[in-house]
């Protein structure tokens, strides 16, 4: 077959088989879908970043030496690994989406990766500052079974008095530096905080939720060495006002907005 | 205005209204693309022609996907490249090597370019032998640059890689070409 025969053969085939070009909308739709995939992935990666920032702000890196296990195990236990993976996966999907767009191949993978990461980090920081990170995390903890396990395990880490870690809500101040506390399982503890090795950065009050590192003296007595508020950072709500963080133990229902405001006023 | 005076992009627009204009587009590219398929694959004329028919059918079906600022020639070369590589891989997986001895004249690049790049006088026979032993990606990029006379931007559009990568690929291909020619004791 020579070239002119190719031309004749192609035209004949198109005409006899009545082959028509695909609609312009079909290509447009595909491209729009890719951009949506990109946008959605950037949004999810930003959510990941906001929770990572939140997790890092909440992590007691200075208490590293009080944790159990080898240095590597302790280090890994402090990292929000799920959210770091979550961020990486969605940055990757955003990258694929962008690469598959019509002109996506013109940019190098490293450039696109950098752009996606910067977008995710910027947007994630905005989410964090708007107070969205806690909400995102609680949505995951309540709805994603796999994540619920990780989330509860992180909380349960503070329900191991025999390993020197205890958390709960102060229910009564007996005298200065001695108080009663209800733990996650509503078990009452008498806590002695007279020999703290780190100065208490706040005044203990009834209703306050705290976590402690120390020593189990008896079945219901705990000697605290370090006391930290359950949540480290006072957060801002969507109106930009500083507020006490909401704290929930495993199984506890989320606080309604009105209930939360009432509690804040009472405090 | 005669059909041969239309630009490729004008012919694409006209083709969507009248298929005969598409015939002009096919005639304009068939010889060039046939040589391109030969150069990058070494396929027999029968297989190369089958590939080309498939290419033109794909171009027709996807004509609405073509849009500026990409050049039509880059777009059709891309489809040809993909179709050739796909056929090459299918045949390789089936254990059907279909490469034949090709006309040496296909490997007569723009002499001045080649001499400038390699600082040597090169015979088409030697070029053909060296290209045959290069890896697929190096052969493709050298063919596009020196035989099809494509710019870096056009090669980027055809191979769907960033322009920076094209520059790197060309530099590596030239090194690979030099190494292969000395390995084969081919003195240009």
């Amino acid at each position: 077959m020579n070239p002119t025969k190719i031309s004749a053969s192609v035209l004949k085939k198109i005409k006899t088989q009545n082959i028509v070009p695909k609609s312009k909308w079909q290509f447009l739709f595909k491209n729009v879908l890719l951009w949506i995939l990109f946008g959605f992935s950037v949004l999810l990666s930003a959510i990941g970043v906001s929770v990572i920032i939140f997790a890092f702000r909440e992590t007691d890196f200075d208490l590293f030496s009080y944790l159990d296990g080898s240095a590597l195990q302790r280090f890994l236990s402090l990292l929000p690994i799920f959210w770091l993976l979550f961020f990486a996966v969605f940055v990757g999907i955003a990258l694929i989406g962008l690469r598959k767009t019509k002109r996506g191949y013109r940019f190098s993978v490293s450039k696109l990766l950098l752009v996606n990461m910067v977008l995710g980090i910027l947007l994630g920081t905005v989410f964090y500052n708007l107070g969205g990170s806690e909400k995102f995390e609680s949505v995951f903890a309540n709805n994603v079974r796999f994540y619920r396990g990780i989330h509860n395990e992180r909380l349960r880490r503070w329900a191991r008095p025999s390993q020197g870690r205890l958390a709960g809500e102060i229910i009564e101040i007996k005298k200065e530096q001695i108080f009663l506390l209800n733990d996650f399982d509503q078990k009452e503890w008498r806590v002695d905080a007279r020999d703290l090795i780190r100065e208490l950065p706040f005044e203990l009050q009834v209703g306050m939720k705290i976590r402690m590192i120390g020593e189990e003296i008896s079945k219901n007595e705990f000697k605290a060495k370090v006391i930290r508020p359950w949540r480290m950072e006072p957060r801002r709500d969507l109106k930009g006002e500083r507020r006490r963080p909401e704290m929930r133990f495993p199984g506890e229902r989320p606080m309604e907005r009105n209930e939360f405001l009432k509690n804040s006023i009472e405090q | 205005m005669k059909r041969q005076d239309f630009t490729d992009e004008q012919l694409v627009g006209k083709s969507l209204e009248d298929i005969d204009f598409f015939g002009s587009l096919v005639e304009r590219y068939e010889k060039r693309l046939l040589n391109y398929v030969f150069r990058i694959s070494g396929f027999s004329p029968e297989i190369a022609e089958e590939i080309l028919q498939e290419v033109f059918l794909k171009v027709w079906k996807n004509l609405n996907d073509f849009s500026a600022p990409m050049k039509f020639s880059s777009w059709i070369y891309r489809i040809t490249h993909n179709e050739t590589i796909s056929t090459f891989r299918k045949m390789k997986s089936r254990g059907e090597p279909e490469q034949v001895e090709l006309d040496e004249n296909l490997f007569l690049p723009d002499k001045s370019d080649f001499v400038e790049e390699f600082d040597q006088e090169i015979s088409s026979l030697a070029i053909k032998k060296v290209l045959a032993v290069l890896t697929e990606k190096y052969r493709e990029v050298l063919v596009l640059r020196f035989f099809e006379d494509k710019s870096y931007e056009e090669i980027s559009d055809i191979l769907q890689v960033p322009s920076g990568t094209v520059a790197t690929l060309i530099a590596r291909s030239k090194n690979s070409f030099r190494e292969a020619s000395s390995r084969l004791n081919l003195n240009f």
Side-chain angles (χ1 to χ4, degrees):
Chain A
M1 201 185 287
N2 61 39
T4 46
K5 279 188 189 165
I6 294 176
S7 157
S9 154
V10 168
L11 287 185
K12 191 180 166 196
K13 199 166 179 178
I14 290 172
K15 284 176 182 169
T16 53
Q17 294 183 13
N18 199 22
I19 301 169
V20 288
K22 288 181 198 166
S23 141
K24 210 173 185 99
W25 293 109
Q26 216 171 317
F27 299 108
L28 198 68
F29 181 67
K30 186 188 157 197
N31 219 31
V32 167
L33 270 186
L34 286 169
W35 280 105
I36 289 174
L37 175 76
F38 165 71
F40 192 65
S41 305
V42 166
L43 203 68
L44 285 171
S45 70
I47 287 175
V49 168
S50 76
V51 183
I52 290 168
I53 299 172
F54 172 65
F56 274 120
R57 299 295 292 259
E58 294 290 316
T59 304
D60 306 291
F61 288 105
D62 58 325
L63 302 181
F64 188 71
S65 56
Y66 295 100
L67 299 172
D68 306 317
S70 67
L72 182 67
Q73 280 172 328
R74 280 181 283 166
F75 177 68
L76 291 176
S77 75
L78 291 178
L79 292 179
I81 291 176
F82 173 84
W83 292 102
L84 287 168
L85 284 175
F86 187 88
F87 172 65
V89 165
F90 284 102
V91 162
I93 296 175
L95 173 78
I96 293 168
L98 210 53
R99 279 281 285 181
K100 295 273 176 193
T101 56
K102 234 172 171 179
R103 304 273 180 264
Y105 63 86
R106 289 197 167 197
F107 305 95
S108 66
V109 172
S110 53
K111 253 185 210 157
L112 293 179
L113 198 63
L114 191 71
V115 166
N116 288 349
M117 284 174 74
V118 168
L119 272 177
I121 290 168
L122 286 179
L123 208 58
T125 310
V126 172
F127 286 164
Y128 173 77
N129 283 316
L130 289 175
S133 48
E134 285 169 87
K135 275 223 154 45
F136 294 136
E137 206 203 10
S138 74
V139 165
F140 262 79
N142 291 332
N143 300 300
V144 182
R145 207 171 157 188
F146 164 71
Y147 183 68
R148 199 178 304 148
I150 298 174
H151 182 75
N152 286 349
E153 175 48 34
R154 226 175 45 226
L155 297 180
R156 282 279 158 204
R157 201 183 291 158
W158 290 98
R160 291 187 188 129
S162 59
Q163 292 171 16
R165 289 188 300 275
L166 183 64
E169 182 176 348
I170 299 172
I171 53 168
E172 190 184 336
I173 307 281
K174 283 288 189 190
K175 50 183 171 177
E176 207 182 337
Q177 308 292 63
I178 294 182
F179 55 90
L180 297 181
L181 172 131
N182 265 354
D183 70 8
F184 287 152
D185 303 315
Q186 299 303 308
K187 184 186 167 188
E188 194 174 301
W189 290 84
R190 184 178 182 277
V191 180
D192 180 351
R194 284 176 298 184
D195 294 327
L196 294 178
I197 56 168
R198 299 271 169 98
E199 202 180 321
L200 205 57
F202 52 89
E203 195 188 335
L204 295 172
Q205 289 174 357
V206 172
M208 189 177 272
K209 290 169 179 179
I210 55 169
R211 55 199 162 134
M212 299 173 290
I213 288 175
E215 192 185 341
E216 186 183 23
I217 307 292
S218 69
K219 272 188 175 176
N220 56 0
E221 269 186 299
F222 192 84
K223 195 171 179 62
K225 287 180 184 166
V226 179
I227 299 180
R228 292 278 158 90
W230 180 251
R231 289 274 155 91
M232 297 294 280
E233 280 288 303
R235 312 296 318 288
R236 288 173 192 278
D237 61 19
L238 292 174
K239 287 178 186 164
E241 291 165 3
R242 287 174 92 81
R243 61 170 174 79
R244 263 175 75 97
E246 176 186 352
M247 171 188 147
R248 267 195 301 139
F249 291 146
E252 194 179 344
R253 74 177 170 81
M255 214 182 273
E256 296 296 331
R257 183 173 162 74
N258 287 343
E259 191 182 349
F260 172 75
L261 287 173
K262 189 172 158 254
N263 287 355
S264 304
I265 292 162
E266 280 170 1
Q267 278 166 20
Chain B
M1 194 174 180
K2 288 178 187 171
R3 280 189 192 186
Q4 54 263 42
D5 297 331
F6 282 118
T7 63
D8 290 346
E9 289 71 22
Q10 284 171 325
L11 277 179
V12 169
K14 293 272 181 194
S15 299
L16 289 165
E17 296 160 10
D18 179 353
I19 192 174
D20 288 337
F21 281 94
F22 185 66
S24 307
L25 215 43
V26 173
E27 280 166 21
R28 189 175 285 186
Y29 276 94
E30 56 194 354
K31 179 87 172 81
R32 256 195 278 176
L33 293 178
L34 201 59
N35 286 344
Y36 175 58
V37 174
F38 284 144
R39 282 167 180 154
I40 61 168
S41 68
F43 282 147
S44 66
E46 292 74 27
I47 293 176
E49 282 160 7
E50 271 174 37
I51 290 172
L52 216 55
Q53 279 203 64
E54 200 49 45
V55 165
F56 286 124
L57 285 173
K58 279 194 174 160
V59 167
W60 171 247
K61 285 179 197 165
N62 295 291
L63 211 52
N64 273 315
D65 194 27
F66 168 71
S67 61
M70 190 196 283
K71 281 171 125 181
F72 178 78
S73 67
S74 299
W75 188 64
I76 199 167
Y77 262 84
R78 178 197 289 181
I79 295 174
T80 310
H81 168 263
N82 291 345
E83 192 62 30
T84 309
I85 298 303
S86 158
T87 308
F88 188 78
R89 286 179 187 160
K90 267 185 229 160
M91 293 176 72
K92 206 173 167 187
S93 70
R94 289 198 299 250
E96 301 170 12
E98 272 287 350
Q99 285 169 312
V100 293
E101 279 298 311
L102 295 172
D103 181 357
E104 276 174 36
N105 291 328
L106 281 170
F107 297 92
L108 277 172
D110 181 329
K111 281 264 183 180
S112 59
D113 270 8
F114 230 76
V115 170
E116 202 178 295
E117 288 295 340
F118 292 94
D119 203 20
Q120 312 250 4
E121 277 291 334
I122 301 174
S123 78
S124 55
L125 177 66
I127 294 171
K128 191 180 100 173
K129 279 184 180 167
V130 178
L131 282 179
V133 298
L134 293 186
T135 57
E136 193 179 292
K137 65 175 178 182
Y138 290 159
R139 186 167 59 240
E140 284 164 9
V141 84
L142 285 179
V143 165
L144 284 168
R145 183 77 185 118
F146 297 107
F147 296 85
E148 305 296 333
D149 202 24
K150 299 290 180 196
S151 68
Y152 280 30
E153 202 183 335
E154 286 171 305
I155 297 174
S156 155
D157 288 335
I158 295 166
L159 300 180
Q160 290 177 280
V161 293
S163 303
T165 308
V166 173
T168 312
L169 266 177
I170 289 177
R172 286 184 186 160
S173 307
K174 286 194 287 191
N175 285 339
S176 183
F177 187 91
R178 285 192 189 98
E179 281 168 20
S181 54
S182 66
R183 226 179 21 249
L184 294 170
N185 288 324
L186 292 168
N187 296 316
F188 300 126

